Amino acid sequence: MDFLPPVVVSFLTATFDFAPELQSFWMAFQGAMAVRNGPNKKNELGWFHAFLLSALSSYGGAMFAFLWMGKPTSMLTNDLNAAACIIAFVLANYTPFDIGYKLGNSLPIVLVTTCFAQLFRSQGVVKFSSGAFQALKDSPSAYYPIPVFGPILNATLLGNMTGFFFKGFHDYLKNGMPWPFQNGLFCASFYHFYVHDDKGFIGKFLREKTLLPMLQGEMDTATFGVVVVGLFMQIVGLLQLPLLLGPTFSPFTKAYSLVVASTPTTKKSSSSAPRKLVKQTPLETTPSEPTANGTATKKKRKRNKKKTKQS
């Protein structure tokens, strides 16, 4: 992506100064604001209850997703996350005149919060996919030269742990596939096959038979994968703001709807259409034909009786 300015590439790859600190803080601030605008809108929750909700909303994946690979949570190994949760919670709830909360809902701060939180998430997809691949690459299945599902699912589950914890399994999934699942499956699959798959046909197809190498330009493959994932998540994250398309927006469901709408529907043939019931008029009957009330048969019997008497 040689057409992107270096500052944009530096941002999407998180190679600028204080990148870890800024990502941790704004991710924590987004979680604190989500709780303050939602469950704690009236400030009725106890401070410890509200604080843990804020921390879980921000770092649910960081708390639990590491356990899938048998690693300690980053909430224990990274002091930045815990410190960011404390600072962000105080700013969102306990500043004079509620200035932190009011500024947090202003458009400039919402845009900054969204961009850095999405950067944190995109970096998580890349790191969790790469981490699982490094752990599993020496034991692929007999059907593909690299492990397929492990690196994709590990990165996908990262963004869904908060939803599972807050809503439970059934309530989280009852309305279809949540957006974090859609995003994780798409981004993790692309990054895994484009960057890690140097032996299988899927990776070779993506790098040789598509337009992606032309977009990649002089950029190395790993950096290009990070930029694509980061750019996609930045764009969708901004589009999902309430001021734009809203949090329920998904490019995948929109694409599916367009495909269904553009598919021509076949008209039903006349033979398959239900036939209308036609009210039938009663048929004229000959003396020998019985009717529903049997009147023709009775008349015939009377005539036969008369003939026998006369004879």
Side-chain angles (χ1 to χ4, degrees):
M1 288 189 171
D2 298 332
F3 57 89
L4 288 178
V7 65
V8 175
V9 176
S10 177
F11 176 80
L12 295 175
T13 55
T15 53
F16 54 91
D17 293 337
F18 302 106
E21 292 84 355
L22 290 171
Q23 290 177 79
S24 296
F25 169 74
W26 289 110
M27 188 67 194
F29 190 71
Q30 187 179 67
M33 290 298 297
V35 173
R36 180 68 196 277
N37 285 323
N40 199 31
K41 191 171 185 178
K42 297 181 180 180
N43 244 340
E44 295 177 346
L45 297 180
W47 72 268
F48 190 63
H49 186 185
F51 172 71
L52 288 186
L53 282 178
S54 300
L56 182 63
S57 180
S58 306
Y59 293 111
M63 289 180 181
F64 302 111
F66 282 94
L67 302 178
W68 293 106
M69 298 298 295
K71 295 182 179 181
T73 170
S74 64
M75 296 301 291
L76 299 179
T77 61
N78 186 356
D79 286 343
L80 284 177
N81 292 349
C85 286
I86 296 172
I87 297 171
F89 177 74
V90 172
L91 289 176
N93 294 276
Y94 296 106
T95 52
F97 308 105
D98 226 6
I99 188 66
Y101 173 68
K102 294 174 182 177
L103 286 176
N105 281 324
S106 64
L107 181 59
I109 300 301
V110 168
L111 293 176
V112 172
T113 303
T114 302
C115 289
F116 277 99
Q118 288 298 95
L119 178 62
F120 181 91
R121 294 186 178 99
S122 65
Q123 290 292 301
V125 170
V126 169
K127 292 176 181 177
F128 271 64
S129 176
S130 298
F133 174 71
Q134 292 299 324
L136 303 173
K137 65 180 181 180
D138 294 330
S139 56
S141 71
Y143 304 99
Y144 203 76
I146 66 168
V148 174
F149 294 106
I152 295 173
L153 294 177
N154 190 48
T156 300
L157 290 171
L158 173 66
N160 289 277
M161 301 308 297
T162 298
F164 280 127
F165 195 92
F166 267 132
K167 299 181 179 180
F169 186 86
H170 174 71
D171 288 339
Y172 185 55
L173 302 176
K174 65 181 180 180
N175 294 322
M177 183 182 289
W179 167 247
F181 261 107
Q182 300 177 42
N183 177 79
L185 289 173
F186 173 75
C187 293
S189 298
F190 165 77
Y191 182 82
H192 177 52
F193 287 117
Y194 195 85
V195 176
H196 299 147
D197 188 12
D198 55 354
K199 300 176 182 177
F201 67 92
I202 300 177
K204 291 180 179 179
F205 174 80
L206 291 174
R207 291 188 299 270
E208 297 174 5
K209 304 298 183 181
T210 65
L211 297 177
L212 292 173
M214 184 176 65
L215 294 174
Q216 180 177 339
E218 299 298 325
M219 191 177 294
D220 66 88
T221 302
T223 302
F224 177 74
V226 175
V227 169
V228 170
V229 171
L231 188 61
F232 174 82
M233 293 182 65
Q234 290 290 329
I235 293 173
V236 177
L238 292 172
L239 290 176
Q240 288 178 335
L241 290 175
L243 293 174
L244 296 176
L245 300 181
T248 60
F249 166 74
S250 167
F252 306 117
T253 55
K254 288 292 182 182
Y256 175 77
S257 300
L258 291 175
V259 171
V260 172
S262 62
T263 303
T265 56
T266 56
K267 293 184 178 180
K268 292 183 178 180
S269 61
S270 58
S271 61
S272 63
R275 296 180 179 179
K276 293 183 179 179
L277 294 176
V278 180
K279 185 177 181 181
Q280 301 202 5
T281 57
L283 299 175
E284 294 182 357
T285 60
T286 62
S288 61
E289 290 178 327
T291 59
N293 55 9
T295 54
T297 306
K298 289 180 180 178
K299 289 180 180 178
K300 186 176 180 180
R301 287 177 180 174
K302 287 181 180 180
R303 286 195 297 269
N304 292 335
K305 286 181 180 180
K306 288 181 181 180
K307 289 180 181 179
T308 55
K309 286 180 180 180
Q310 291 175 357
S311 59

